[in-house]
Amino acid sequence: MQRYFSQRRQAGYFELPDDDIYHIKTVMRMKSGDQIEVVYQEQVYLSCIEIVNNIYKIRQIEKLEQGVQHIPEIILCIPLLKEAKMDFVIQKATELGVGRIIPLKTVRSIVKLDQTREQKKLMRWQKIAKEASEQAKRITIPVIEPVQTLSDLEKISALKLVCSTVAMENNLSNLLQMHRTCDRILVVIGPEGGLSSEEEEQLVAMNFHQVRLGNNIMRVETVPIFFLSVINYEYME
């Protein structure tokens, strides 16, 4: 069953964005009486489509029960990547349960954005996250933050990790076992070519734990999938 997100409910009817109404009408070709799921204020409602004079209305039927998850909020910090790779990372990270995504400026980042291009990219990335959240049957949509620097991460309170290609001691799984009760994990992933030694030292000085992900060197777009899969496994009940 299709799932959509609503920001407003009035008199038992949900309002959906125009893009979603277009999707219901033109892509899914739904008719009066067809049912969908609507997420409103992190609650899921079974809802029914009503078409009156070619106007699509979404009527609430009943609230649906949902399971409770105890996975920490994951804040994923990724370097600015080329368009296809960035879209891929946002989509797959959303499917795997990421809470927030922070695009980063790093020394070896290939992509550079001015303010105008950044705003357009943020809108595109947020739309990708919304659509992936609907597909994955999530009750929240990850927030795509404005582009930040490493220094901006110091103020965030969390278990702080940086994926390292030089650290040999800290294994990700072992480190997570030592912090089972944390409620937020912040992870930094370097660009193609990795973080510079100065950047990694800066993060260590900001109380980041260097962690290794195994012996294989993965592409930057593969690392978030690996990391989030480990998180889901470690906290799976």
Side-chain angles (χ1 to χ4, degrees):
M1 187 178 295
Q2 286 292 129
R3 175 171 292 192
Y4 300 92
F5 287 83
S6 173
Q7 299 297 321
R8 189 169 183 224
R9 179 178 61 185
Q10 186 174 10
Y13 285 84
F14 293 108
E15 292 187 12
L16 297 183
D18 291 342
D19 286 351
D20 289 342
I21 295 297
Y22 176 86
H23 187 267
I24 288 170
K25 179 180 179 179
T26 306
V27 179
M28 300 304 298
R29 298 183 180 276
M30 292 184 181
K31 301 178 176 63
S32 283
D34 287 347
Q35 295 182 345
I36 61 174
E37 293 176 347
V38 176
V39 180
Y40 176 73
Q41 295 184 346
E42 299 188 14
Q43 299 292 330
V44 183
Y45 296 87
L46 180 65
S47 303
C48 179
I49 295 172
E50 295 179 352
I51 306 174
V52 181
N53 297 326
N54 205 34
I55 297 175
Y56 282 65
K57 296 185 176 182
I58 313 300
R59 177 171 57 84
Q60 174 185 325
I61 298 177
E62 63 178 347
K63 181 179 175 181
L64 299 177
E65 296 298 324
Q66 52 198 339
V68 179
Q69 296 186 12
H70 298 285
I71 295 177
E73 178 192 10
I74 307 301
I75 305 174
L76 176 66
C77 304
I78 54 174
L80 290 168
L81 304 172
K82 292 182 179 179
E83 185 171 287
K85 291 184 177 181
M86 197 73 175
D87 293 354
F88 177 83
V89 168
I90 291 170
Q91 181 188 67
K92 298 310 173 188
T94 298
E95 291 176 18
L96 287 166
V98 74
R100 289 163 56 191
I101 296 177
I102 301 177
L104 284 178
K105 297 177 184 176
T106 63
V107 171
R108 293 172 180 160
S109 293
I110 297 174
V111 176
K112 310 294 182 183
L113 297 178
D114 58 30
Q115 188 172 8
T116 301
R117 290 184 63 208
E118 179 181 333
Q119 289 304 313
K120 290 181 179 179
K121 291 289 187 182
L122 287 172
M123 292 176 61
R124 172 185 173 82
W125 296 335
Q126 194 65 66
K127 183 178 180 181
I128 291 171
K130 172 185 174 294
E131 292 173 350
S133 296
E134 293 169 344
Q135 185 275 326
K137 296 299 182 81
R138 291 183 53 157
I139 62 170
T140 59
I141 303 172
V143 174
I144 314 298
E145 301 281 1
V147 178
Q148 299 181 27
T149 66
L150 295 181
S151 298
D152 294 323
L153 306 179
E154 187 170 13
K155 60 190 176 184
I156 301 175
S157 176
L159 171 62
K160 297 181 178 181
L161 310 177
V162 53
C163 297
S164 175
T165 58
V166 297
M168 299 303 294
E169 295 182 2
N170 285 338
N171 175 280
L172 174 58
S173 180
N174 292 339
L175 189 64
L176 292 175
Q177 290 290 337
M178 296 167 56
H179 296 84
R180 295 291 297 175
T181 59
C182 70
D183 57 5
R184 181 181 294 132
I185 298 174
L186 172 69
V187 58
V188 172
I189 294 169
E192 296 174 355
L195 296 167
S196 69
S197 57
E198 292 80 10
E199 287 175 320
E200 199 155 331
E201 289 170 5
Q202 178 186 354
L203 290 172
V204 171
M206 293 162 52
N207 297 318
F208 276 77
H209 299 273
Q210 295 169 293
V211 293
R212 62 184 182 87
L213 305 181
N215 297 323
N216 296 334
I217 302 298
M218 291 176 273
R219 291 181 180 272
V220 62
E221 66 269 26
T222 306
V223 176
I225 297 175
F226 179 92
F227 182 88
L228 288 163
S229 297
V230 173
I231 293 289
N232 278 279
Y233 177 81
E234 290 293 339
Y235 288 90
M236 188 183 299
E237 295 185 350

